[in-house]
Amino acid sequence: TCSICKEGYYLLSTSVDPNDIWMAPTEHCKPCPPNAFCPTNTTLETLVIPQGYWRASSSSAALTECRSFGGDGEAGKTRCAGSELDAGDASRRRMIEEVSPSDEYCAPGFYGPECRLCVADKHHLVDGDTCRDCLPLGSVVGRIAGIVLCVFVACGIAAWAYSKKGWRKKPGCIGRILRLADRAVVFYVGMGFTPKLKILLGFYQVCIVLTTTYSARL
């Protein structure tokens, strides 16, 4: 009796009785998933995952194409090694499995969904295929504080200049800018842009968390 599946199909469960496969092959031998390769005698665990694709575990038949995340078209292939390894890649496979068996489809140095996380501590993904050191906390806080301070100063100067009613009659750039600001305020209030901007900001926030939290794509 034949207890293996032919090319283009994979065996759903290796614990099934060979006679059952022979009697009902369509129940146990399933068509190869899209983008995967299924040579003769392939099982669900031994699906050949091409470079640039990732799956959650060896018990999943769903393949996910690795996105570029800000890099070029090859960034996904750089992170997601797949399972197409030849004999010369045995050492790389051992190194990957030492990190985590569930991340065996990731290139060394990467792990997680679509291999977009960095194995090294305090590193983050840059250009879709490179891990770089995270900035020190003090440097980040200093930059944010500097930006916030500059924004407050700029807004304060703008508000002070806008409050000078007499400056609107002055010739030159300042007078024209203040008169233009008056027209912009009237237009903004008349068109009711405040609720529209709130809706747009809410939609943007939802779009951001769709990718990072729910792994959904727009």
Side-chain angles (χ1 to χ4, degrees):
T1 60
C2 182
S3 60
I4 63 174
C5 299
K6 69 177 184 178
E7 183 178 357
Y9 293 82
Y10 70 93
L11 184 62
L12 186 60
S13 175
T14 55
S15 62
V16 67
D17 188 275
N19 292 324
D20 293 337
I21 300 176
W22 173 257
M23 297 298 296
T26 56
E27 292 184 10
H28 304 286
C29 291
K30 300 300 181 181
C32 199
N35 302 310
F37 298 106
C38 298
T40 302
N41 195 23
T42 296
T43 66
L44 178 59
E45 290 77 15
T46 61
L47 287 175
V48 179
I49 311 301
Q51 187 179 16
Y53 287 85
W54 172 89
R55 64 172 174 167
S57 70
S58 59
S59 61
S60 173
L63 272 65
T64 301
E65 184 176 5
C66 297
R67 290 167 286 179
S68 59
F69 292 113
D72 57 24
E74 298 296 317
K77 291 184 178 180
T78 301
R79 299 192 322 275
C80 300
S83 60
E84 295 180 300
L85 300 178
D86 54 32
D89 291 320
S91 60
R92 182 167 72 87
R93 171 62 72 206
R94 286 194 297 271
M95 182 166 54
I96 294 171
E97 290 178 345
E98 287 175 0
V99 176
S100 173
S102 63
D103 298 311
E104 59 179 324
Y105 308 107
C106 299
F110 300 95
Y111 75 102
E114 297 185 48
C115 309
R116 64 181 184 178
L117 302 178
C118 297
V119 172
D121 188 33
K122 295 182 180 180
H123 281 63
H124 69 288
L125 187 66
V126 177
D127 296 333
D129 58 4
T130 305
C131 286
R132 293 182 182 173
D133 292 329
C134 296
L135 291 174
L137 181 60
S139 176
V140 175
V141 172
R143 291 186 181 184
I144 295 176
I147 293 174
V148 171
L149 180 61
C150 290
V151 170
F152 271 107
V153 170
C155 291
I157 293 174
W160 175 75
Y162 188 77
S163 65
K164 300 296 182 178
K165 301 296 183 181
W167 286 13
R168 286 161 175 74
K169 299 179 182 179
K170 289 184 177 182
C173 294
I174 295 180
R176 287 196 294 269
I177 291 174
L178 291 176
R179 290 192 294 271
L180 180 62
D182 287 337
R183 297 191 189 99
V185 170
V186 172
F187 179 76
Y188 178 88
V189 174
M191 295 297 294
F193 276 120
T194 299
K196 294 180 176 65
L197 289 176
K198 289 182 178 179
I199 294 173
L200 184 61
L201 179 60
F203 178 74
Y204 171 76
Q205 292 173 332
V206 170
C207 292
I208 292 298
V209 300
L210 275 178
T211 301
T212 57
T213 305
Y214 303 104
S215 297
R217 304 183 186 182
L218 293 180

